[in-house]
Amino acid sequence: MYLSIKGLAKSFGENEVLKDVNVDIQKGEVVSIIGPSGSGKTTLLRCFNGLEDPDKGLFTFHDGQILNFEEKMNKRDIVQFSRRSGMVFQAYHLFPHKTALENVMEGPIIVQKRNKAEVRQEAETLLEKVGLKDKMNFYPHQLSGGQQQRVGIARALALKPELMLFDEPTSALDPELIGEVLTVIKDLVKENWTMIIVTHEIQFAGEVSDKVLFMDGGYIIEQGTPDEVLKSPKEERTKRFLQRILHPSIEV
């Protein structure tokens, strides 16, 4: 077991966004999260890497670190927790005044205080990995949306995280650019990265995932293999969602 989450809950004021979320993630597992807008998918992802503090919930990691969000925790534990993951955002979030190479180098140098020459070499390798070796000195405004997102993936990988998090990585892209980003993610799947992917690309989720979670109303309504959740869902809410999105032949 890489990570076990029990009883996770998160509210913003009176709005309960996550309610008693329970999920186990294995090392090397690809978990896709699907569901309607406003179901809590992005908030769940942000709780995984410390961008949001849960109101309650127990996180247990493979190396023995335990975080109980109902108790006061020291800063060191929170920092260690947040550094376990690398995040790829929906809207890229690149530094506009830095080149692609500088964007990838920023985290390891500033956050991890690593050697600049070593980081540069690794950043160049990562940009080549995502097909952007010839664009490393370009600024974000000189790149397409798909290229910017691939820089975002390289930037997250540069931190050498244990867990890769993707928040709807193709939703801001034109249809013709989606494939280039999904291809990069598929290559990472082959390398056995542990990944959690919030996506509306249902077919893609079916192809790459070991586990699919369907969320609605702040709950995980159903979870299982892609065949179990996407082809033979048990819950009526899952069936209705898939019928609207992908499978009009599913009887509701």
Side-chain angles (χ1 to χ4, degrees), residues 81-188:
F81 167 58
S82 65
R83 289 183 178 177
R84 288 179 180 270
S85 60
M87 184 88 159
V88 178
F89 296 91
Q90 187 177 54
Y92 324 136
H93 288 189
L94 300 180
F95 296 109
H97 60 289
K98 293 183 180 292
T99 65
L101 182 63
E102 290 168 341
N103 266 280
V104 177
M105 292 175 63
E106 180 82 1
I109 291 173
I110 301 301
V111 177
Q112 298 177 336
K113 313 296 183 185
R114 294 177 54 208
N115 176 269
K116 186 173 181 178
E118 178 184 301
V119 169
R120 181 187 176 96
Q121 186 175 16
E122 291 179 1
E124 290 179 358
T125 299
L126 286 170
L127 286 170
E128 183 174 11
K129 181 188 188 76
V130 299
L132 292 173
K133 184 178 181 180
D134 60 334
K135 305 289 186 184
M136 64 176 62
N137 294 316
F138 283 44
Y139 290 88
H141 74 272
Q142 297 173 302
L143 301 173
S144 70
Q147 289 169 337
Q148 290 185 61
Q149 191 60 291
R150 284 186 280 156
V151 173
I153 293 172
R155 179 181 59 183
L157 290 171
L159 295 168
K160 300 182 178 180
E162 299 174 39
L163 178 65
M164 283 288 288
L165 307 172
F166 296 85
D167 185 15
E168 299 201 24
T170 62
S171 65
L173 300 178
D174 293 331
E176 66 268 22
L177 302 177
I178 290 173
E180 65 188 62
V181 173
L182 297 185
T183 296
V184 171
I185 298 174
K186 287 178 181 179
D187 288 340
L188 297 179

Side-chain angles (χ1 to χ4, degrees), residues 9-250:
K10 175 67 178 177
S11 296
F12 296 98
E14 297 297 314
N15 183 22
E16 287 185 274
V17 179
L18 297 175
K19 308 167 188 176
D20 193 28
V21 170
N22 300 280
V23 62
D24 293 329
I25 299 165
Q26 308 290 339
K27 185 173 177 60
E29 191 171 47
V30 179
V31 179
S32 288
I33 306 175
I34 64 171
S37 297
S39 59
K41 305 185 301 295
T42 292
T43 301
L44 176 58
L45 206 65
R46 291 172 66 87
C47 286
F48 275 121
N49 75 338
L51 289 175
E52 299 290 354
D53 291 329
D55 298 325
K56 59 181 179 180
L58 189 68
F59 284 44
T60 304
F61 290 91
H62 63 100
D63 58 5
Q65 185 184 21
I66 297 175
L67 297 176
N68 186 342
F69 286 95
E70 289 188 90
E71 298 177 353
K72 186 175 181 180
M73 290 175 286
N74 65 53
K75 186 176 180 180
R76 181 179 176 182
D77 286 340
I78 297 296
V79 169
Q80 182 186 352
F81 167 58
S82 65
R83 289 183 178 177
R84 288 179 180 270
S85 60
M87 184 88 159
V88 178
F89 296 91
Q90 187 177 54
Y92 324 136
H93 288 189
L94 300 180
F95 296 109
H97 60 289
K98 293 183 180 292
T99 65
L101 182 63
E102 290 168 341
N103 266 280
V104 177
M105 292 175 63
E106 180 82 1
I109 291 173
I110 301 301
V111 177
Q112 298 177 336
K113 313 296 183 185
R114 294 177 54 208
N115 176 269
K116 186 173 181 178
E118 178 184 301
V119 169
R120 181 187 176 96
Q121 186 175 16
E122 291 179 1
E124 290 179 358
T125 299
L126 286 170
L127 286 170
E128 183 174 11
K129 181 188 188 76
V130 299
L132 292 173
K133 184 178 181 180
D134 60 334
K135 305 289 186 184
M136 64 176 62
N137 294 316
F138 283 44
Y139 290 88
H141 74 272
Q142 297 173 302
L143 301 173
S144 70
Q147 289 169 337
Q148 290 185 61
Q149 191 60 291
R150 284 186 280 156
V151 173
I153 293 172
R155 179 181 59 183
L157 290 171
L159 295 168
K160 300 182 178 180
E162 299 174 39
L163 178 65
M164 283 288 288
L165 307 172
F166 296 85
D167 185 15
E168 299 201 24
T170 62
S171 65
L173 300 178
D174 293 331
E176 66 268 22
L177 302 177
I178 290 173
E180 65 188 62
V181 173
L182 297 185
T183 296
V184 171
I185 298 174
K186 287 178 181 179
D187 288 340
L188 297 179
V189 172
K190 295 174 186 175
E191 296 175 9
N192 293 318
W193 284 85
T194 307
M195 296 194 284
I196 303 175
I197 307 169
V198 171
T199 183
H200 60 278
E201 300 287 341
I202 304 298
Q203 182 177 346
F204 170 71
E207 292 173 1
V208 304
S209 304
D210 299 296
K211 181 185 294 179
V212 176
L213 312 181
F214 170 66
M215 291 190 69
D216 195 12
Y219 292 100
I220 295 177
I221 303 299
E222 189 163 0
Q223 60 179 297
T225 67
D227 281 351
E228 289 170 340
V229 176
L230 301 179
K231 295 182 180 180
S232 303
K234 296 182 177 67
E235 301 296 329
E236 290 301 315
R237 287 159 84 177
T238 315
K239 292 177 183 179
R240 289 196 299 270
F241 173 78
L242 291 172
Q243 184 184 46
R244 290 197 307 269
I245 300 298
L246 191 62
H247 296 303
S249 61
I250 291 179

